[in-house]
């Protein structure tokens, strides 16, 4: 959990925030070994922050990491209320093995989600997702409600039926989705259920 929280903080305050202030977008993307800016040349690779002419270990605070990369620290202002909850001067702790596991999960998710469109890694909830036909498809590294990584399908209008097992739609733990094919099958099942099942009312 500490690693997930730290990576979320770096995504939000070292990459997305500075990118938003210079380029007007908070969108991030999956990159080899981790994730990075859609426009900003900053990225996380394993347990390091990387930019064109340098790299540093993910240690210390977000402010120190931002200073090393030459960007102003802080999340995007005024766009959302949630986030990592990590302040700029709070120490971040990243375990290299856990970071590698999350990078692998993001890579599997990106491969499977491309069936629906171009996935975006959003800094607010640190989830990788894409919307198609009024349904959100995505993966999360975990959150307060579901600490372990999971995949999700979230229709904009809630559905009724056995597939839907979460307040927002449906989720499946990453432990049950060992590869991109299994993940893709779950997402495809969700698409079929969203097309088939009636909209919940009342």
């Amino acid at each position: 959990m500490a690693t997930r929280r730290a990576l979320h903080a770096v995504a939000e305050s070292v990459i997305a925030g500075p990118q938003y202030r210079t380029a007007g977008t908070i969108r991030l993307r999956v990159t080899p070994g981790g994730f990075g800016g859609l426009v900003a040349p900053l990225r996380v690779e394993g347990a390091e922050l990387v930019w064109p002419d340098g790299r540093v270990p993910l240690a210390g605070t977000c402010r120190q990491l931002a200073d090393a990369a030459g960007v102003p620290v802080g999340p995007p202002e005024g766009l959302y209320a949630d986030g990592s909850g990590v302040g700029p001067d709070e120490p971040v702790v990243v375990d290299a093995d856990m970071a590698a596991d999350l990078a692998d999960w993001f890579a599997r998710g990106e491969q499977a989600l491309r069936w629906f469109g171009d996935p975006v890694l959003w800094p607010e909830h640190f989830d990788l997702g894409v919307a198609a036909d009024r349904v959100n498809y995505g993966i999360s590294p975990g959150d307060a409600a579901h600490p372990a990584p999971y995949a999700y399908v979230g229709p904009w209008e809630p559905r009724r039926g056995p597939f839907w097992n979460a307040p927002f739609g449906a989720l499946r733990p990453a432990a049950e989705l060992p590869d991109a094919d299994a993940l893709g099958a779950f997402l495809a099942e969700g698409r079929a259920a969203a097309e088939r099942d009636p909209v919940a009312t009342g």
Side-chain angles (χ1 to χ4, degrees):
M1 173 148 178
T3 293
R4 182 190 77 215
R5 189 167 180 264
L7 293 175
H8 187 177
V10 171
E12 182 180 46
S13 291
V14 182
I15 303 178
Q19 176 182 261
Y20 178 69
R21 288 185 280 277
T22 59
T25 181
I26 64 172
R27 296 181 175 218
L28 306 178
R29 62 192 176 94
V30 173
T31 57
F35 57 88
L38 186 67
V39 178
L42 278 168
R43 62 187 176 89
V44 165
E45 180 182 319
E48 294 184 311
L49 180 68
V50 180
W51 60 97
D53 56 354
R55 63 173 61 216
V56 293
L58 291 175
T61 67
C62 284
R63 188 183 304 279
Q64 291 170 328
L65 291 169
D67 287 347
V71 297
V73 71
E77 297 92 351
L79 296 185
Y80 52 78
D82 294 333
S84 68
V86 178
D89 298 306
E90 180 180 338
V92 295
V93 178
V94 175
D95 178 87
D97 290 337
M98 291 182 181
D101 288 343
L102 287 179
D104 178 68
W105 177 232
F106 279 140
R108 275 186 280 157
E110 205 232 3
Q111 182 180 347
L113 286 164
R114 285 207 171 275
W115 187 57
F116 299 92
D118 292 326
V120 174
L121 180 62
W122 296 104
E124 179 181 5
H125 296 131
F126 200 40
D127 64 326
L128 181 70
V130 61
D133 299 323
R134 299 181 65 82
V135 180
N136 295 326
Y137 302 90
I139 66 163
S140 169
D143 51 39
H146 304 280
Y150 64 90
Y152 64 84
V153 180
W156 296 7
E157 295 81 26
R159 302 297 201 271
R160 289 189 291 109
F163 179 78
W164 311 105
N165 63 354
F168 57 80
L171 70 83
R172 186 76 52 85
E176 299 177 15
L177 303 168
D179 53 37
D181 288 342
L183 176 53
F186 165 71
L187 298 174
E189 184 182 1
R191 183 172 198 168
E195 293 173 349
R196 175 193 68 230
D197 292 344
V199 174
T201 58

